[in-house]
Amino acid sequence: MTNRSQQLFERAQRHIPGGVNSPVRAFRSVGGSPCFFASGNGARVTDVDGNSYVDYVGSWGPLILGHAHPAVVAAVQEAAAKGLSFGAPTEMEVEIADLLCDLLPSLDMVRLVSSGTEATMSAIRLARGFTGRDLLIKFEGCYHGHSDSLLVKAGSGMLTFGNPSSGGVPADLAQHTLVLDYNNSAQLEQAFAEHGSRIAAVIVEPVVGNMNLVAPAAGFLQTMRTLCTRHGSVLIFDEVMTGFRVGLGCAQGLYGITPDLTTLGKVIGGGMPVGAFGGRREIMEKIAPLGPVYQAGTLSGNPVAVAAGLATLKLIQAPDFYAQLEQKTKSLCDGLASAAEKSGVAFSAQSIGGMFGLYFRRQCPQNFAEVMECDTAAFNRFFHAMLDAGHYFAPSAFEAGFVSAAHNKADIATTVSAAEEIFRTW
Ligand code: KE4
């Protein structure tokens, strides 16, 4: 007897490619068919069959306050009742721009868009327009959304330019992107030695969340900063995931590195579609209508979405917000790691702020090659066993997980004891 999620998935596949509106939701890397969720409340989600789960995905990061936070819902309802969209400036857009520039010293100016992809796509075009250069450096395992210049995989040789990693991306566009190894400072220095005067920008996840969680090695981000400054290239911190997730100052505050441009998303929309890019005034003034770099959006700065973002950004400024979030996330990781150790399972875990990585590998991976050594079959087995026990983790071994302010000690404890049970019979 198929359950309602499975019935809906069957039906969804008739008119939606893969039955989903974003590929990772399809459970293809973990197997099985996806849960269709009916509602969320705080740390929990409930699927259409009435099964409840402690949620460690949080819509891939936005729900740092948990599901349906009353203040966020009320702000959305109040804004919606005044009209859903105007295609004209509104006061709340000024309020959120001022707040973002207050919270992030590197932001002199900021432009709102509707997704992280739009933010990074626009930031790259802006960096190219500002420098008059074409070349872009990204790092293998980092994901910055699905614009063409970023769907590129490493070329054949260590420093050869990229090839498309997706259908539909022109090879001669991919040729302008150089894909390097994350945490390899020597390789980055070599790339600048060879191409420095042609490099428009380096874009990086300052803490990677898209090959599972990988932390920056000591000196890696500083090397990037030094090289970009020396060669007049734009350093873009893609903080769509880390922004207000790893701390109130984002990753740039945590590591003390000032990027030239920052991209944001997820948390700044509180679950509604908001992205942003911003940075140094002399760069941002190149954006239309001030400058020659075009960028636009019908729903950019949408008042209902911005209302959710503003409500979220206000609540994360509460005293101890991040200290408590960090403590809960760390206790989840420590609990899972000790559960695995008790049963001799090759497992490691780490957290930075409110995001975490789980690895079926004895040590936390420090680069893409080490991530690829993780036992994904073991992860997939863990994923489904935890799902059956009522704990929803990211349906891929190559994604970070997220804890919210709504998770309490009891939630973390039940998750850890469920894992203990599973590892006991591993
Ligand atoms: P969106 O276009 O999905 O809003 O943002 C793209 C993006 C940009 N930069 C970073 C660092 C990101 O993590 C993302 C999106 N993250 C994925 C999770 N791995 C979103 C989930 C999905 O693709 O459905």
Side-chain angles (χ1 to χ4, degrees):
M1 157 58 170
T2 55
N3 63 28
R4 188 146 161 60
S5 271
Q6 287 163 330
Q7 289 161 18
L8 278 171
F9 190 46
E10 279 300 308
R11 183 176 146 205
Q13 292 176 76
R14 270 186 247 143
H15 297 125
I16 308 171
V20 291
N21 286 309
S22 197
V24 71
R25 303 177 190 174
F27 273 32
R28 285 185 171 240
S29 62
V30 291
S33 75
C35 305
F36 277 61
F37 289 139
S39 64
N41 182 17
R44 287 182 171 275
V45 280
T46 302
D47 69 17
V48 291
D49 293 289
N51 304 306
S52 163
Y53 307 88
V54 183
D55 179 17
Y56 292 103
V57 181
S59 185
W60 302 99
L63 302 181
I64 198 163
L65 298 176
H67 289 272
H69 188 288
V72 178
V73 172
V76 166
Q77 287 170 331
E78 188 186 340
K82 293 176 185 165
L84 295 175
S85 181
F86 304 99
T90 61
E91 185 176 352
M92 274 199 288
E93 292 164 76
V94 182
E95 213 182 312
I96 199 170
D98 291 350
L99 179 55
L100 289 171
C101 293
D102 283 347
L103 292 173
L104 282 183
S106 73
L107 296 193
D108 295 332
M109 303 186 91
V110 65
R111 168 65 61 85
L112 296 183
V113 292
S114 299
S115 71
T117 292
E118 266 193 278
T120 56
M121 174 181 71
S122 308
I124 288 162
R125 183 181 313 128
L126 175 56
R128 285 172 162 158
F130 174 70
T131 58
R133 304 174 185 178
D134 293 340
L135 297 191
L136 172 70
I137 287 179
K138 77 175 287 288
F139 299 92
E140 189 154 32
C142 289
Y143 174 70
H144 304 287
H146 61 90
S147 63
D148 285 352
S149 288
L150 291 162
L151 295 180
V152 176
K153 61 179 183 286
S156 48
M158 190 177 81
L159 288 182
T160 53
F161 284 87
N163 302 312
S165 64
S166 161
V169 174
D172 53 18
L173 178 63
Q175 279 297 307
H176 297 295
T177 304
L178 185 57
V179 183
L180 302 181
D181 297 333
Y182 190 82
N183 279 337
N184 186 334
S185 291
Q187 190 188 46
L188 184 61
E189 281 165 331
Q190 182 63 29
F192 269 93
E194 285 189 29
H195 307 291
S197 60
R198 298 167 56 218
I199 295 170
V202 176
I203 186 166
V204 68
E205 289 187 68
V207 174
V208 187
N210 286 288
M211 54 168 142
N212 209 320
L213 188 154
V214 174
F220 181 58
L221 297 175
Q222 184 54 60
T223 301
M224 212 174 287
R225 176 63 280 170
T226 305
L227 289 166
C228 283
T229 303
R230 186 179 306 154
H231 293 271
S233 306
V234 174
L235 177 56
I236 304 171
F237 266 19
D238 177 1
E239 298 226 42
V240 167
M241 185 182 284
T242 54
F244 306 106
R245 169 57 61 178
V246 300
L248 191 57
C250 306
Q252 55 196 267
L254 196 60
Y255 295 101
I257 303 284
T258 302
D260 301 304
L261 291 179
T262 299
T263 55
L264 297 164
K266 297 182 192 276
V267 169
I268 68 165
M272 295 287 280
V274 180
F277 62 98
R280 283 170 40 204
R281 181 175 296 277
E282 62 176 326
I283 302 177
M284 290 300 289
E285 287 180 340
K286 297 292 182 193
I287 277 282
L290 284 184
V293 180
Y294 195 69
Q295 182 277 330
T298 302
L299 296 176
S300 295
N302 173 272
V304 180
V306 168
L310 269 175
T312 301
L313 289 170
K314 283 175 186 153
L315 288 166
I316 63 173
Q317 295 177 67
D320 281 347
F321 180 88
Y322 285 98
Q324 290 172 22
L325 184 67
E326 188 165 339
Q327 178 48 45
K328 279 186 271 192
T329 313
K330 187 175 182 312
S331 65
L332 172 70
C333 290
D334 293 348
L336 293 175
S338 62
E341 195 178 3
K342 273 184 219 160
S343 301
V345 177
F347 178 91
S348 53
Q350 66 178 329
S351 65
I352 299 178
M355 65 192 275
F356 64 87
L358 309 178
Y359 322 92
F360 281 84
R361 182 177 187 272
R362 291 211 179 279
Q363 284 83 32
C364 296
Q366 295 188 344
N367 54 48
F368 183 75
E370 292 183 2
V371 166
M372 299 317 283
E373 292 167 358
C374 295
D375 182 343
T376 47
F379 172 83
N380 295 348
R381 183 177 156 199
F382 175 78
F383 170 82
H384 280 289
M386 289 299 281
L387 188 68
D388 293 345
H391 307 268
Y392 184 67
F393 285 89
S396 164
F398 304 106
E399 295 285 354
F402 306 95
V403 173
S404 81
H407 287 76
N408 57 39
K409 287 193 171 65
D411 294 320
I412 304 292
T414 57
T415 300
V416 169
S417 56
E420 272 167 359
E421 201 46 44
I422 288 160
F423 286 138
R424 225 193 309 279
T425 57
W426 195 250

